[in-house]
Amino acid sequence: MALGRKLTAVTAAATTLAALLAAPAGAARETIDWKPCPTAAGVDCGTVTVPIDWAHPGDGTIQLALARRKATDPAHRIGSILMDPGGPGGEGAGEVQDGWTLSPAITARFDTVGFDPRGVGQSSPVRCGLTEVTAPNPQLPKSVADFRRLTARNQALGTSCAKTTGPLASHVDTTSVAHDIDAIRAALGESKLTYYGTSYGTLMGQEYAETYPDRVRALVLDGTMDHSVRSTWEFLSSQTRATQEMFGQFAHWCATTASCALHGQDVRSVMAQLYSRAEHGTLGTPDDPLDPVALLGMITHAFYGPDWSGLATSMVNLRDGKPAESAFGDITVPTAFSSIFCSDWRLPVSGYGELETFRRSLGAIAPDIRFSPLAWTSATGCLGWPDTVRDPQRAPGFLGNLPVLLLNSRYDPATPYSWAQHVSRQTGAPLLTYDGWGHSAYFKNSDCMVSTTDKFLIDGVLPARGTHCAAVTPGPSKSRMDGPTY
């Protein structure tokens, strides 16, 4: 972070901040009062107290919610592995209570610990006004007036979040979360951090490695965020290309798989029909029509598993006017999403003209999908947001001599493979590639991915650079998240 101050002031501030951020490893570290979780058998719940503002610890504190499943082989226990499911807005403590773990080899040797990041779940959640949350939201503006309504809605929503939540709403950035993670590490009694983060959780891991390089035991970053993506166009286009590529893989699967509900049909033509009807407000039901953003959100969600069979069936049902919602579930976005995302990303758009240029250009590179709904709504959701971007994009600040392993699927609609390649090139961290489909790579039924990752977590052995694991034909699956998210 560049501070335009005199050298003496910078030196004094840096010394004070360094001392503050080192505090969790000191003698006064907090311990966790673990107690059985009331709604999850065999799981312990606890909390860790952290400052709202790490630079001003006297300005109030919050408690971070934790959940722990103890190692099943305590005689050979290595320590704790901290896990985050991404989002932003994913509830790690809640996921662990619901049974989220890594392989039996890992759960035998490690306590599995999930945490709800600040502003999420049971960790002082960001709350916003219902009126502002449910206000009309023209996510795909068709005019200058629509663009103004979009930015005004975002500004009103952000203002309501700050008013309802208080100071924490302005301190949910990922840099703050990295400091929280170190407080958790210390409270767990671990001298160094063992961590598995997926999707947005990989950004937390990267910033932890940057801030506390000497406290890293083993970090697995699965579905890698690239926080060095500088421009709005690069952010939108990289995810759109990845989503279009995924659609091509789906179309090929339907063409070669007799069980596909669209086998023998022109999948791209069906997609074009659905999109046209969504544009004209005639897709779905009169009470619940699907606009283009909702349609693409449904399709992208099916790509996460991926669940190609369910997607094909739902596309047929939508085309034929039958209910299709059961295949996808409700598409929801956690209330904390924009508060967190807009603290971490600066993605400016000068006005309606530039946004419309982006939309048309994305359609040219993705004729079937048109645009990535996740990238589009993430970027447009920050237009007019009233809070400061506290943790804007920059090149990753850790090097590959640290024990960090990147994982990524070759075909990932949310965290493109190109992002993982770029982070690997910038840092030197090895990238383990799953040559298959879906968001993240560890949970794709690949023995190669699991065993290679587990060997690193248990023994510290990194795979050779350029290691690939073969694709496994996907079957029916359901993403843990409710809708497209990181």
Side-chain angles (χ1 to χ4, degrees), residues 4 43 91 98 112 152 226 380 389 405 418 436 458 462 472 476:
V43 184
E91 301 175 21
D98 289 341
T112 300
D226 183 3
T380 60
V389 181
L405 176 62
S418 61
I458 294 171
L462 286 163
V472 177

Side-chain angles (χ1 to χ4, degrees), residues 40-66:
V43 184
D44 299 321
C45 286
T47 60
V48 169
T49 302
V50 296
I52 291 174
D53 182 353
W54 276 95
H56 301 93
D59 290 351
T61 61
I62 58 170
Q63 290 187 324
L64 304 176
L66 308 177

Side-chain angles (χ1 to χ4, degrees), residues 76-114:
H76 298 95
R77 178 183 177 276
I78 295 172
S80 299
I81 181 167
L82 188 64
M83 296 176 59
D84 182 86
E91 301 175 21
E95 293 279 0
V96 168
Q97 291 181 63
D98 289 341
W100 185 45
T101 65
L102 300 183
S103 73
I106 298 300
T107 57
R109 308 290 300 277
F110 291 91
D111 294 346
T112 300
V113 180

Side-chain angles (χ1 to χ4, degrees), residues 147 151 232 347-358 383:
F147 184 87
T151 56
T232 306
L347 300 169
V349 178
S350 61
Y352 171 71
E354 184 174 36
L355 189 63
E356 180 64 7
T357 298
F358 287 158
L383 299 178

